[in-house]
Amino acid sequence: MARRLVDTPPRDSFRPEMLNGLPPPARDWLAHAIAMGTPLWRTAQLTMHGTLKVGGRWCPFEATQVHAPSHGMLWKARARMMGLPIVGHDLYADGRGEMRWKLLGLLPVVRGDGPDIARSARGRLAGEAVAMVPTWLVGPHVTWTAEGPRTAVAHFTVDQEPFDIRLESGDGGTLRSVSFQRWGAPRPGDAFGLYPFGCEILEEHTLSGLTVPRRMRAGWFFGGPRFESEGEFFRATVDSLRPL
């Protein structure tokens, strides 16, 4: 599956004229995120570690991920809950999404698929594309608008679903947060629908010509008090990123 997600090799490199005509906050962020001359990669492989909030408990995890915004993503992780290992994956490919998680690698504990899971996974793919594969944001398939001097909104589609991804920047174009409306059911018993979702960037690093998040936290109800009290469920440190 990981091989199927890898996009075609880049045919061009990042050049100054590619920023012409963009609103200032989009131009500033792209110039910060992509070193001039960097190939316009469309796939990245990551490793990370952190904690996941499951059932009110924060559980440590380690994970690898292949992220190809034009095709899909595969996130494979190993976590520990109350001292017991849980292994599994989140997947989006060919328009479908799935979650498969097993206790001790044998006993199913989470299993999900269907249209709602696919749409939620598609939202995750769109949001993480901005943060982790910024070179994918260069080209006519993405249009940009500005909401103030430091807020850029990227408009694009993934498998015919439109997304408006908001990027908040700091000094010099440093990425502070990514937010959008994501399909999901944030809490048990919630109806599926569009809810505020986002990621706060706590630290960046530069790898292979890309300046991307190193430490971050993410969750539902982003931008409001419910994010802190009940929405945050993901804290991670990206250990490596390798364009493919």
Side-chain angles (χ1 to χ4, degrees), residues 13 15-16 52 70 89-90 104 117 125 192-194 197 213 224 240:
S13 298
R15 293 175 276 110
L52 289 167
S70 295
H89 68 262
D90 294 344
L104 302 173
I117 298 298
L125 176 68
F192 274 90
L194 290 171
F197 187 90
S240 69

Side-chain angles (χ1 to χ4, degrees), residues 120 182-193 195 220-221:
S120 184
R182 180 182 173 187
W183 189 263
R187 302 167 305 175
D190 283 349
F192 274 90
Y195 296 87
W220 300 99
F221 313 118

